[in-house]
Amino acid sequence: MTTFRTRFRDGARGALRRTGARAEALRARWRGWSRWRKALVVAVAALAVVAVPVGSAALALRLQYVGDPSPEARTRGRDAVWLGHAWVDGRKGDDDVAGLARRLAGTGVRDLYVHTGPLEHDGSLPPSVHPRARWFTEAAHRALPGIRVQGWLGDEVKPEKDGLDLEDAATRERVTASAGQVLDQGFDGVHFDMEPIRPGSKGWLDLLERVRPVTAGRGAVLSVAAPQIDPLPYQHNLGIALTGHGKWWDQAYFAATARRVDQIALMTYDSSMPTEGFYGGYNAYQTELALEATPEDVDLLMGLPFYWEDEWGHWGDAETVNAGIRGIRLGLGRHDIGRRNFGVGLYVDFAATEQNWADYRREWVR
């Protein structure tokens, strides 16, 4: 009697023979095709290999924007706004400070990042670049009690730009001295925005370890502006390899930076997202990634574009305050709705429109 195992074996052999015959027929057909037709098939196959995962990632990103934000995902009174250089170089006066106080009344803004640099490429800070810094800190403290005024210092960074060499110990020493110089002007903290820092830079982390005791010893805050976090694993490496530009940090490096500061502001603008839905979904995802990486006792701020620009990398109709806030609220609600050390950062005062401020108040402060 024929056993089941025998029938299975014979059936499998038959299937293999039929499969082999079909494969041979396909090989014969392939050999008969012209060179251009073979090249076309290979190109289409390669495109499909790339398109399928990219399309899946795009769909997943867009789905991040689906749903209703939690009503509890609103300001915690820890928001910030970046202020331009005009506040410390003599272009602003008492009337402007009074106007700023009216603008911020009833909002969640607690920190002002006031552009007090730029740093020289060697890390030093000439006093001549902020002649009215002491006037502004005193005027702001009078008009805006409870608001912290931080000195915003920055420069372009090597190796991508001809700027600061953070891997040089002497440069880091001069930056540390510049931080102390800012505090001498009455600022409540130091805010670093140095770009582009590539993930893995030991000099950047060492600089933060040097500066934090300086700020802590004066009862001041150390905060930094940080790039976006890799939306896909190792995307920062791919970007550097293809373009020479490091746009993202990996999540581990973001976490290493966050552990060394009191406050970290993630710059979630200039995202290259093509529509509001994608930008909002991107913000939701960035919010979740940043919440995972930031210690509970460190303030995490998500940046919002308070400016209009329409070009590759920043599409004005996509990167709106409404979409950004809705995405941030969705990410906060899904991941850590109870997080108190959380806010949004508004970039930047001199380019902001009345609509930007109205959207911020309605969607986040209300």
Side-chain angles (χ1 to χ4, degrees), residues 100-114:
L100 179 63
R102 290 192 296 271
R103 169 70 76 188
L104 299 182
T107 69
V109 172
R110 182 183 64 168
D111 287 285
L112 307 179
Y113 303 143
V114 189

Side-chain angles (χ1 to χ4, degrees), residues 14-302:
L16 287 172
R17 284 194 297 270
R18 291 191 296 272
T19 300
R22 285 194 293 269
E24 182 57 37
L26 288 173
R27 286 193 290 269
R29 182 180 297 179
W30 172 263
R31 288 192 293 269
W33 284 353
S34 64
R35 184 174 299 175
W36 72 265
R37 191 174 185 182
K38 291 177 180 177
L40 179 62
V41 170
V42 170
V44 169
L47 181 62
V49 168
V50 174
V52 169
V54 170
S56 299
L59 177 61
L61 189 64
R62 182 60 181 83
L63 290 175
Q64 290 278 336
Y65 199 54
V66 173
D68 296 321
S70 167
E72 298 176 42
R74 298 284 186 180
T75 186
R76 277 90 165 108
R78 296 174 182 267
D79 304 331
V81 58
W82 280 272
L83 301 181
H85 200 73
W87 294 97
V88 297
D89 69 2
R91 284 177 284 169
K92 298 284 190 179
D94 291 333
D95 289 345
D96 298 296
V97 174
L100 179 63
R102 290 192 296 271
R103 169 70 76 188
L104 299 182
T107 69
V109 172
R110 182 183 64 168
D111 287 285
L112 307 179
Y113 303 143
V114 189
H115 191 264
T116 314
L119 294 167
E120 296 292 295
H121 290 345
D122 67 356
S124 61
L125 180 64
S128 58
V129 303
H130 54 257
R132 296 266 283 170
R134 170 63 72 174
W135 164 81
F136 179 70
T137 57
E138 292 177 351
H141 286 140
R142 285 193 303 270
L144 294 157
I147 294 288
R148 299 188 304 194
V149 188
Q150 300 190 41
W152 165 13
L153 300 178
D155 190 20
E156 294 181 328
V157 178
K158 291 182 177 180
E160 192 169 321
K161 303 290 185 179
D162 183 20
L164 285 171
D165 182 2
L166 294 180
E167 309 311 313
D168 175 62
T171 298
R172 297 196 298 273
E173 287 289 349
R174 284 187 286 269
V175 174
T176 303
S178 296
Q181 180 182 327
V182 164
L183 298 178
D184 289 341
Q185 296 295 319
F187 286 96
D188 304 302
V190 177
H191 176 75
F192 285 145
D193 180 9
M194 300 174 184
E195 304 177 44
I197 295 171
R198 293 186 174 178
S201 168
K202 294 180 180 178
W204 167 245
L205 300 181
D206 180 75
L207 173 65
L208 300 180
E209 291 173 356
R210 290 169 180 264
V211 174
R212 197 173 192 186
V214 174
T215 54
R218 306 274 288 270
V221 180
L222 174 59
S223 69
V224 296
Q228 297 152 32
I229 300 173
D230 266 353
L232 296 172
Y234 304 108
Q235 191 161 335
H236 64 286
N237 290 336
L238 181 62
I240 292 171
L242 294 178
T243 68
H245 174 55
K247 180 179 177 63
W248 300 278
W249 278 356
D250 59 88
Q251 193 181 36
Y253 195 72
F254 185 95
T257 296
R259 289 194 299 269
R260 289 166 169 82
V261 299
D262 302 299
Q263 187 179 68
I264 187 166
L266 197 160
M267 300 178 286
T268 44
Y269 34 81
D270 297 341
S271 67
S272 302
M273 293 295 109
T275 68
E276 281 190 301
F278 277 108
Y279 179 61
Y282 185 77
N283 268 21
Y285 187 42
Q286 287 289 310
T287 299
E288 294 184 43
L289 291 173
L291 284 167
E292 289 175 356
T294 306
E296 288 285 343
D297 61 345
V298 174
D299 287 342
L300 170 63
L301 276 61
M302 304 300 294

